[in-house]
Amino acid sequence: MNNKKIKNVFMEGAISSNFIGNSIYKHQTKTSIGAHNIFLGQVRADVIDGKTVAAIQYTAYEDMANQKFHDIREAAFKKFDLTCMHIYHSLGTVKAGEICLFVFVSSPRRKVVFKALEYIVEAIKAEVPVFGKEIFEDETHQWKVNN
């Protein structure tokens, strides 16, 4: 049985460039790492039915979502030769242009980080119960459809 602690991956609001930079900076002294890869999910100002998205308000079933993030993380470590992985997702309101998802992976080999990152991001989109309400510039809203 896996007794690893389940981490809380959620951050209130947008994920700042300082937070992202500091997370990456901590790994530059690890000499066993040959490659890093990051994914930054950014809120787009999509135009839907003539209305522009101004922000997305994220909600989640937090315990269930944190468990799912944990399961994805563990599966990725089993499937790929990873040295390190960070996953963070926003809750609350994130404006267009701001970062809402940050995934960072490290490995001794470059090809691994590309395959692992795609696997992780696709699993997050398909499996994690995080929901987004798109808030339009005219203050109307609709639930986001993942695509």
Side-chain angles (χ1 to χ4, degrees):
M1 184 163 166
N2 188 346
N3 292 326
K4 286 189 178 179
K5 183 180 177 189
I6 295 175
K7 296 169 70 174
N8 178 19
V9 304
F10 292 109
M11 301 181 76
E12 191 62 35
I15 301 170
S16 74
S17 58
N18 284 341
F19 180 84
I20 294 165
N22 288 336
S23 297
I24 295 167
Y25 175 76
K26 293 175 188 176
H27 294 85
Q28 73 181 28
T29 59
K30 295 183 181 182
T31 58
S32 63
I33 296 173
H36 304 286
N37 201 2
I38 63 171
F39 174 84
L40 301 175
Q42 180 172 316
V43 173
R44 292 183 313 268
D46 285 343
V47 177
I48 302 168
D49 296 330
K51 298 191 285 186
T52 302
V53 173
I56 297 179
Q57 184 178 48
Y58 290 100
T59 60
Y61 296 113
E62 289 186 54
D63 290 341
M64 189 185 307
N66 278 314
Q67 178 65 56
K68 198 54 161 161
F69 278 116
H70 177 80
D71 295 346
I72 292 167
R73 177 184 169 82
E74 293 303 303
F77 270 113
K78 285 180 184 170
K79 186 174 178 80
F80 302 99
D81 180 23
L82 296 174
T83 306
C84 180
M85 179 188 325
H86 295 282
I87 302 172
Y88 294 96
H89 199 294
S90 294
L91 286 181
T93 302
V94 181
K95 295 177 184 174
E98 293 180 327
I99 303 299
C100 57
L101 176 62
F102 168 46
V103 182
F104 173 70
V105 294
S106 303
S107 173
R109 305 278 178 249
R110 67 179 164 77
K111 287 185 180 181
V112 172
V113 295
F114 292 117
K115 292 176 184 175
L117 192 65
E118 182 174 23
Y119 169 85
I120 294 162
V121 172
E122 292 301 323
I124 290 168
K125 294 296 273 179
E127 302 172 23
V128 179
V130 174
F131 310 97
K133 186 184 339 179
E134 294 172 312
I135 312 296
F136 297 104
E137 288 177 338
D138 67 0
E139 298 182 13
T140 61
H141 66 272
Q142 73 176 18
W143 288 102
K144 181 172 178 21
V145 177
N146 280 340
N147 52 19

